[in-house]
Amino acid sequence: MKTIVYFMLGLAGILMNISCSDDVDEQINNQEPMIVSLSTHMGTAKDIITVYGRSFSPVKSENTVKFNGLTAIVLEANAGELQVVLPEIDEGTFNIEITINNKTIVGPAFTFKKPTDNGWVVQTIVGQSGVPAMTDGIGTQATCKLPTSLSFAPDGSIWFSDRGNFAIRRISPDVNVTTIAGSPTSDSFFHPWQGNFDSKGNYFIADKGNHRVQKVTAVTHEVSTFATGFKNPMSLVFDDEDNMYVADRDNKAIKKITPDGQVTSFGIGITPNTLVFTPQGDLIIGGSANYTLIKLTLSSGDVTTIAGDGVKGTNYNDGEPGNPLTAKVGQIFGLSCDAAGNIYIADALYHVIQKFTPGENGDYAKGTIKTIAGTGVKGTENGKALSAKFNTPYAVLVTEDGKTIYVADTVPFLIRKLTYR
């Protein structure tokens, strides 16, 4: 009889324990989601981290993980852990947010570090750092003094203005540097700034110190004066009909000169340093003291600010993706555009090279600026682009496919090359 009693009491205890256990499990399952900790609090875009907590969904798609509004990829999920791939954020500290069943919870802060490898590599192809001279030769055997302009010639070579030597130089595809026109004692140029080619292969240069535009004739390389009446002209470009557009700096204007010599002036309200055409036929213009990029719509003459907050900063800042007005734009002397409409920027104040990708339908006002080379600190180091350094880059030139970029790194007297691996 005692045995039966003991058995019944034991059975009752087991049933009670099972019932209590079920209650505890139900209580745990019914708890509100919570983020307890992260496997690390610092990393770079595309790193994988683990989020620890409770009441996550075991279905990956039911957990939406975000940092600064950008969604991370959920690789693995269970009630207590989420394994995620960090989104594309360059720098900054942001709290993690997870949304489960329309309820959003906020967790610890995570710091995104600037990635050190973005696929671009920097090398020096012409010049010797700190050696201001004028020597023709192969690659770094050649020297120059304040290179300021870069332009593709019809034969695939690159012409550049050697401003400190009052000369125009040529870099062949095999990096042989020769002098086309001018010399330190010549009166053909005086601080020539930036130039470009027309459709016939003639080269024109903004001869800043002489307040004129000079022409270097194709084949013969004869130098002559093409136009005068400027006040520190800085740069020029051509449209498809060989109309020339000159950045007339101290007149705060862009001047259009037709092939038959007719002149039209567009007042733009800033002192322009450089300009480039977009695929839509508008001009993007950079200056020194406005800390913005502006767009000149030639069909209407309208001028709009498309990037920069107009305030001089202490360091570069790419701003928010899709909102280029939040970026810090410094002193812009070099712009170039690839076939896709991406604008490449040489910022002489912040010593960086940036890529300005337009938004939908080529809308630069909704574009994104991203630094692709430089640290913001002066230097001449080569290597991985985000660890490399520049010193007052004044010109940038990109190939149509956007895979190769040339930079006139003015103060150290170098021509640099960026290659995308």
Side-chain angles (χ1 to χ4, degrees), residues 164-182:
N165 285 317
F166 308 152
I168 308 301
R169 318 278 296 279
R170 177 183 183 270
I171 307 171
S172 70
D174 58 357
V175 203
N176 183 24
V177 179
T178 55
T179 299
I180 296 294

Side-chain angles (χ1 to χ4, degrees), residues 316-319 327-330 332 336 343-347 350 352-356 369-373 396 405:
Y316 74 95
N317 186 332
D318 293 342
K328 282 297 179 187
V329 174
I332 309 303
S336 189
I343 303 291
Y344 296 80
I345 305 166
D347 194 320
Y350 299 132
V352 293
I353 307 302
Q354 295 169 307
K355 180 179 179 180
F356 188 1
I369 292 178
K370 189 178 184 67
T371 297
I372 60 174
V396 62
I405 303 169

Side-chain angles (χ1 to χ4, degrees), residues 162-383:
D162 192 349
R163 176 164 54 97
N165 285 317
F166 308 152
I168 308 301
R169 318 278 296 279
R170 177 183 183 270
I171 307 171
S172 70
D174 58 357
V175 203
N176 183 24
V177 179
T178 55
T179 299
I180 296 294
S183 72
T185 59
S186 168
D187 61 1
S188 294
F189 312 101
F190 185 54
H191 297 295
W193 215 267
Q194 293 184 349
N196 261 305
F197 290 87
D198 68 8
S199 65
K200 300 178 182 63
N202 301 305
Y203 182 77
F204 296 79
I205 184 79
D207 192 18
K208 174 179 176 289
N210 285 318
H211 310 291
R212 63 188 180 184
V213 170
Q214 294 288 81
K215 176 182 177 181
V216 182
T217 305
V219 184
T220 65
H221 299 165
E222 178 185 355
V223 179
S224 60
T225 298
F226 174 76
T228 59
F230 304 99
K231 202 171 181 181
N232 288 319
M234 301 291 286
S235 181
L236 58 88
V237 293
F238 287 92
D239 64 16
D240 293 338
E241 298 177 350
D242 272 348
N243 297 303
M244 177 191 293
Y245 296 82
V246 183
D248 193 6
R249 191 189 68 182
D250 290 0
N251 283 318
K252 296 184 178 181
I254 303 299
K255 288 187 176 177
K256 174 185 176 181
I257 306 175
T258 65
D260 60 2
Q262 297 183 43
V263 179
T264 304
S265 185
F266 298 88
I268 59 171
I270 70 166
T271 52
N273 289 332
T274 186
L275 68 171
V276 68
F277 270 108
T278 69
Q280 293 80 18
D282 301 318
L283 285 172
I284 306 298
I285 302 164
S288 290
N290 50 300
Y291 308 111
T292 59
L293 290 178
I294 65 172
K295 181 179 76 171
L296 171 61
T297 303
L298 292 173
S299 59
S300 64
D302 291 341
V303 177
T304 53
T305 299
I306 58 169
D309 61 6
V311 178
K312 183 179 180 179
T314 57
N315 203 351
Y316 74 95
N317 186 332
D318 293 342
E320 301 169 4
N323 187 6
L325 294 178
T326 62
K328 282 297 179 187
V329 174
Q331 295 173 343
I332 309 303
F333 287 89
L335 295 171
S336 189
C337 186
D338 67 19
N342 300 302
I343 303 291
Y344 296 80
I345 305 166
D347 194 320
L349 178 63
Y350 299 132
H351 316 290
V352 293
I353 307 302
Q354 295 169 307
K355 180 179 179 180
F356 188 1
T357 303
E360 189 174 358
N361 298 319
D363 187 355
Y364 291 96
K366 297 180 181 178
T368 297
I369 292 178
K370 189 178 184 67
T371 297
I372 60 174
T375 66
V377 177
K378 293 179 183 179
T380 58
E381 286 88 338
N382 292 314

